[in-house]
Amino acid sequence: MCQNPNEPKKNPSHFESIEHSEDTPTHRDLLWEDYENLIQGMRFFDPHIHMVSRTTDDYQMMVKAGIVAIIEPAFWVGQPRTGLSSFKDYYSSLVGWERFRSSQFGIKHYCTMGLNSREANNERLAEEVMEILPLFAFKEGVVGIGEIGFDDQTVLEEKYYRLQLELAKKAKLPVQIHTPHRDKKRGTERSMSIAIEHGLDPSWVVVDHNNEETVKSVLDKGFWAAFTIYPFTKMGNERMVSVVEKYGPERIMINSSADWGISDPLAIPKTAALMMQRGIPKEVIRKVTYQNAIDAFAKSGQIDVRDFDLEFSPDPNAKFHGNSVLRGGQQPVVNKNSLFIQ
Amino acid sequence: MNANTTIELTQFLFEMTTKSEREWLENKTKTNVLDLMTAFVAAPRFLSKKNISYDDKAKGNLIPHLPGYQVDGWSLVRLARVWLLLQIPQDPKEECIKNIETLFDTAELNELVALYSALPLLPYPWEWLSRATDAVRSNMGFVFDAISILNPYPELYFPESAWNQLVLKTIFNGKPIHLIYGLDRRKNKELAISISDFIDERFAAGRKIPPQILRLLAPFSNEEHSSTLIRMFASEESGEKEAAALVCFESKEPKLRSLLANQPELELSIQNGELDWSKLESIA
Ligand SMILES: [Zn+2]
């Protein structure tokens, strides 16, 4: 990403709005170091983050800030894929390399599988992707079908959204809905009514990237309402605090959606710190930054919190496909005091 | 693959499953191939996580035409996945190959293990040769084990160079070579040369030598190996001494035989049948 954040972007990320691109991050004046201690000992679950676009430094900061588990939804990597193989490789990386890399930092990595709305518009490729999607949807550690839904709200987007809702029913998996940046309110309503039309239980559906305009309807209909704290967007974390104050913690969850855009993998702990500072009860914070996401996605049968309750000691010498996260010259975390190199 | 294999394997698998697990598996054979492939992926969602263990004497040979092919210690999911692969329609050939290739292309680690475990039972065995040699190159421990340990496929289909690579890599990985299926049947001169070089390298680096690898050298040993063997007799590791003694004992070279004459105790224990290669096998 080499874009000037003040300029309209051709490929806005999850929560960007071209019309409101002059917005500034609401939390940029808060110095994280000053607030970090507010959340000491708390643990967080980020149900929406694209680690494939993030660095190893991020993993280190995340684990330090108390993030114990994450969900990586299959989404847009910033440019359209040109063939089925790229999809296969991408999906494989979500259950393979990225899961391994995450484990190296003691973070439990799950993912959701889906054909994203943007790429649903390439019908030829979309057809091929739909053929292999079941082979990924049923894999271990896949906790949902996602993120699916609308972007431009085209006919093809609707077609593949519907097909994937059917797949979710068949696979008994929760659904993670990506709501569009443009015409969000209508897009969100449309996504929900189609899900209901297909007979999905709203308690199995997480509607993502909500704002003040959409939250009430989502909650009223019985869906999970997820909020993305993403800089330069409509939802900064100060306003997130107000949403929680107004609606309480039931069926609300917070995520970072951090990806290749200007985003923040610490969005959840930072928002939690802000909520602590504003005097929101700890149990409320726990629900919206940890427990609700687990409750929603554990319906997949793929989440066992004992996996991250255990004191985790990753083996930094482990290798994946013969590759380690550690590069030449780097020493694994263990044995660093040894003079001998064997 | 023949029909008998399927019957034996089916019987065995169903003995291991609960009623509902069995029903789930049986239903999958009655559907279309995509459902079957999906079942291969989804198996851990429907089957218990237990491991299979059985007394192999009681079980005899699970696959009659592949004596020694065993599934002891496998997870139930792995066994069920192998079985599901055998249910994929074999005709037309192109379709069958494409379906299995797709499973390879999209597989995660545990699925790869099942796929490689199934290779000696799959139809069109030659079609999987490059996949199988790729698995040898893999550094994913579980995948490497699936092709190299107790798997008849390499012995039956690998050309010599690939076979030798598999054995050498097993040694490099510090794994027990005696678990390579058909190891003794496919000893060869080229491999013996590599083993000899490997031993010299280890000596030069001051490292230990896994003694049982000398069994690969023994039938091809010659005068050139005498200095190596002398060094091994001088070793403080009893295993290295014993391996050297076994090489000399098997050798037809008078010079090597004479080295053993200096080790009367070792010679005697070999003659008495107390020392053989199996004593040097260790499960790493
Ligand atoms: Zn996303």
Side-chain angles (χ1 to χ4, degrees), chain B residues 102-175:
Chain B
T102 300
L103 287 176
F104 267 110
D105 280 346
T106 56
E108 49 83 69
L109 194 129
N110 292 321
E111 293 167 29
L112 284 175
V113 167
L115 280 157
Y116 288 117
S117 306
L119 287 188
L121 306 177
L122 287 181
Y124 319 114
W126 292 103
E127 300 292 332
W128 321 117
L129 185 58
S130 70
R131 293 275 180 192
T133 52
D134 271 355
V136 173
R137 275 191 286 277
S138 156
N139 279 326
M140 290 184 286
F142 291 117
V143 169
F144 180 82
D145 290 357
I147 192 70
S148 66
I149 303 291
L150 295 171
N151 189 332
Y153 187 88
E155 190 212 346
L156 294 173
Y157 303 103
F158 274 24
E160 186 175 282
S161 60
W163 170 263
N164 290 353
Q165 218 158 28
L166 180 148
V167 176
L168 288 170
K169 189 139 177 198
T170 305
I171 296 168
F172 266 83
N173 288 349
K175 302 209 163 151

Side-chain angles (χ1 to χ4, degrees), chain A residues 63 72 81 112 144 172 260 267 307 329 337:
Chain A
V63 84
E72 176 150 9
R81 280 162 279 222
T112 58
K172 294 201 175 57
W260 40 260
D307 287 342
N337 294 322

Side-chain angles (χ1 to χ4, degrees), chain A residues 257-276:
Chain A
S257 293
D259 58 9
W260 40 260
I262 297 169
S263 47
D264 192 340
L266 298 186
I268 294 177
K270 285 179 180 176
T271 307
L274 194 61
M275 287 193 281
M276 285 296 281

Side-chain angles (χ1 to χ4, degrees), chain A residues 14 48-53 71-79 81 83-99 109 111-116 119 129 132-133 136 139 146-147 258-260, chain B residues 105-106:
Chain A
H14 290 88
H48 191 147
I49 186 164
H50 299 282
M51 292 313 296
V52 71
S53 332
I71 296 171
E72 176 150 9
F75 193 54
W76 165 257
V77 288
Q79 64 181 37
R81 280 162 279 222
L84 184 63
S85 292
S86 336
F87 273 98
K88 278 197 265 189
D89 292 340
Y90 173 65
Y91 293 149
S92 293
S93 76
L94 298 183
V95 289
W97 170 255
E98 206 50 59
R99 186 176 291 172
H109 183 285
C111 62
T112 58
M113 286 290 175
L115 169 68
N116 73 78
E119 288 170 292
V129 172
I132 59 156
L133 202 51
F136 287 101
K139 287 203 197 300
E147 45 186 311
D259 58 9
W260 40 260
Chain B
D105 280 346
T106 56

Side-chain angles (χ1 to χ4, degrees), chain A residues 5 9 31 40-41 45 50 63 66 87 97 105 123 135 153 159 167 181 208 222 228 251 266 288 299 308 315 330 339:
Chain A
K9 298 167 190 127
L31 287 175
Q40 273 302 316
F45 187 115
H50 299 282
V63 84
F87 273 98
W97 170 255
F105 300 91
E123 191 170 17
L135 298 180
Q153 305 188 43
K159 173 183 170 186
L167 175 60
H181 319 293
D208 222 326
T228 297
R251 275 182 291 115
L266 298 186
V288 300
K299 290 183 157 71
F308 39 97
D315 174 8
Q330 291 180 317
L339 173 67

